[in-house]
Amino acid sequence: ARKVRHMENGIIAKKKKSTIITIADELGVSPSTVSRAFNPKSKISNEARQRILQCAKRQNYVPNRTASRLSMREINIGVVYTSFYELASDEFAKGIRDAYRELFDLKINLEFETLNYTTRTSDNLREILSRWENFDGVIVSGLSDPDEIAILNRYAKINRNIVLLQADIPEVDKLFVSCHDPAVSSRMAAEFIADCLKFSPRKDVVIFTGERRTGLHTEANDVFIRAAEELGLNVVGSFDMKDSPEMLKWQLYEMYVKQGMRPAGVYITSGKSIELCKFIKENELSERTVLVTFDVYPELNEYLKSGVITATIYQNLYKQAKNAFINLVKYVIGQIDVGNFISPAPELVLKSNLDFYIR
């Protein structure tokens, strides 16, 4: 069974020993500043040097020249994702670039590649990975077609340091996955809806998911249904809207208009939920529907502020990307071991605390 551990900074790691990075993390300085503190000729203030040396003593740190040389070599990291979900692309770029700046002293070369979701071909990915054959690690998101999986696995035979971002693909041979935990998110949604409907005679709920071809949305669906039933809710519909607004519009028409369903609770695991929000608002269903959505972004936020959305789940795409980059680099330089799954804790966002999640 997959073991998942949540920590404040979203990082799971088994420390091999005290290192310049563990010292840097504790003191909030860069690894290069820690390294300079052990060189009497380096330019660093006496106060900073003493703080670092005292911390090193507490951690029983012994400078390792081999590790120091390794940390000074160039590290090459590639990042490739599709243009499928603009919010994710923007947050991934911000998270990775911020992580890159934090670790800049480690001499990292970073390359980004974005593939058009609708026009990309297997050859596009094959060409990118051929250029990255000697890279130290690769971060990948949004590539789940069978041909792409085959290409990634061929690359893994040369370099297994593949990190999957936002969603796991069990068939891919990878180092680790950095994404939200769909099981935890679905249980949160089910519990929240059940609490909202505790004194209501209406217990019917439905779930809409993103593309179930990926394991993430399949797991989210299965866990939500189990949790909802355990909490006394009646799941009357489960729809794979395939992350398609057009598919979602058709399913809403089928459910509400043709079948006449009026669920008391609705949960959607795809960030592409605007058509659902519009439908609830235009048909004046807000007061009769507990609606739980996913993500935080300007257009969606307006529906939360107006009361159409009851709550949304924040999966923190920014931190997922930042964690992926930092953990990959630390693994490459031998500072940590990583588990197979890294996840920032999902959070429930309401109208009252929305401002804390707007960056």
Side-chain angles (χ1 to χ4, degrees):
R2 181 178 65 196
K3 181 180 290 185
V4 183
R5 285 172 280 169
H6 298 284
M7 295 180 64
E8 180 66 24
N9 60 3
I11 294 173
I12 63 172
K14 175 185 176 183
K15 298 177 187 176
K16 290 181 177 180
K17 57 183 178 180
S18 176
T19 68
I20 62 171
I21 291 182
T22 64
I23 296 171
D25 286 345
E26 180 175 328
L27 297 179
V29 298
S30 69
S32 64
T33 299
V34 176
S35 181
R36 287 197 298 271
F38 297 97
N39 180 359
K41 297 181 181 179
S42 64
K43 294 182 179 179
I44 182 173
S45 70
N46 288 332
E47 180 184 358
R49 191 189 304 277
Q50 289 305 313
R51 285 180 63 230
I52 291 169
L53 294 179
Q54 288 171 8
C55 181
K57 185 176 180 180
R58 287 197 305 274
Q59 294 190 11
N60 296 316
Y61 171 73
V62 178
N64 183 319
R65 293 182 179 180
T66 301
S68 296
R69 286 198 300 271
L70 178 62
S71 68
M72 294 307 291
R73 74 174 178 86
E74 289 189 344
I75 300 167
N76 297 297
I77 302 293
V79 181
V80 56
Y81 48 73
T82 70
S83 61
F84 172 67
Y85 188 20
E86 186 176 350
L87 169 68
S89 299
D90 291 345
E91 291 298 292
F92 289 164
K94 291 175 186 174
I96 288 171
R97 289 198 169 101
D98 282 354
Y100 171 76
R101 281 190 284 268
E102 286 185 17
L103 300 177
F104 182 74
D105 289 330
L106 293 178
K107 297 184 179 179
I108 302 169
N109 297 318
L110 174 62
E111 283 193 29
F112 272 96
E113 289 285 354
T114 304
L115 298 177
N116 185 288
Y117 181 74
T118 56
T119 63
R120 76 186 193 276
T121 66
S122 298
D123 287 340
N124 298 144
L125 179 60
R126 190 178 294 108
E127 186 275 330
I128 291 170
L129 294 182
S130 68
R131 289 191 282 108
W132 295 351
E133 185 174 311
N134 296 316
F135 273 30
D136 296 283
V138 175
I139 299 173
V140 177
S141 180
L143 302 173
S144 59
D145 288 344
D147 288 347
E148 293 168 340
I149 292 173
I151 292 169
L152 288 171
N153 281 330
R154 282 196 291 273
Y155 181 81
K157 293 179 180 178
I158 303 169
N159 181 356
R160 189 176 175 272
N161 290 351
I162 296 176
V163 175
L164 298 184
L165 181 57
Q166 194 187 15
D168 188 15
I169 306 173
E171 299 86 354
V172 172
D173 185 16
K174 65 272 184 181
L175 181 63
F176 65 87
V177 183
S178 181
C179 67
H180 82 280
D181 187 333
V184 173
S185 298
S186 287
R187 282 193 292 270
M188 287 172 58
E191 288 179 21
F192 179 79
I193 293 173
D195 282 345
C196 290
L197 299 178
K198 182 179 294 185
F199 301 108
S200 171
R202 302 171 61 236
K203 303 292 184 182
D204 289 353
V205 298
V206 299
I207 178 172
F208 293 90
T209 72
E211 178 63 72
R212 291 185 195 171
R213 184 176 58 179
T214 65
L216 181 148
H217 290 291
T218 300
E219 183 176 7
N221 177 71
D222 295 345
V223 171
F224 177 81
I225 290 174
R226 288 198 301 271
E229 291 174 347
E230 290 169 4
L231 292 163
L233 300 176
N234 180 30
V235 181
V236 296
S238 172
F239 302 90
D240 181 355
M241 49 78 70
K242 301 184 183 300
D243 291 306
S244 166
E246 290 304 315
M247 174 68 78
L248 179 58
K249 286 174 66 176
W250 178 80
Q251 290 171 338
L252 290 170
Y253 177 80
E254 284 288 313
M255 185 181 79
Y256 280 99
V257 180
K258 294 189 70 174
Q259 298 181 32
M261 295 172 59
R262 291 293 185 272
V266 179
Y267 175 45
I268 183 166
T269 68
S270 170
K272 296 190 173 185
S273 59
I274 296 301
E275 291 300 330
L276 172 58
C277 298
K278 288 180 180 177
F279 188 93
I280 296 293
K281 180 179 181 180
E282 291 170 1
N283 290 276
E284 299 181 346
L285 297 170
S286 302
E287 293 184 3
R288 300 166 55 193
T289 308
V290 177
L291 175 59
V292 179
T293 59
F294 228 86
D295 287 329
V296 171
Y297 53 91
E299 190 175 4
L300 191 76
N301 297 348
E302 293 307 310
Y303 288 101
L304 184 59
K305 291 176 181 177
S306 67
V308 173
I309 297 172
T310 315
T312 191
I313 292 178
Y314 183 60
Q315 63 170 314
N316 205 332
L317 295 162
Y318 169 86
K319 185 173 283 188
Q320 288 178 34
K322 190 172 183 180
N323 289 346
F325 188 85
I326 290 175
N327 279 267
L328 176 57
V329 171
K330 289 184 177 182
Y331 176 84
V332 166
I333 65 175
Q335 299 295 346
I336 63 170
D337 288 331
V338 289
N340 64 344
F341 188 80
I342 296 174
S343 174
E347 300 172 51
L348 201 65
V349 181
L350 308 171
K351 178 181 178 180
S352 59
N353 65 345
L354 175 62
D355 288 345
F356 291 97
Y357 295 89
I358 299 175
R359 296 199 305 118

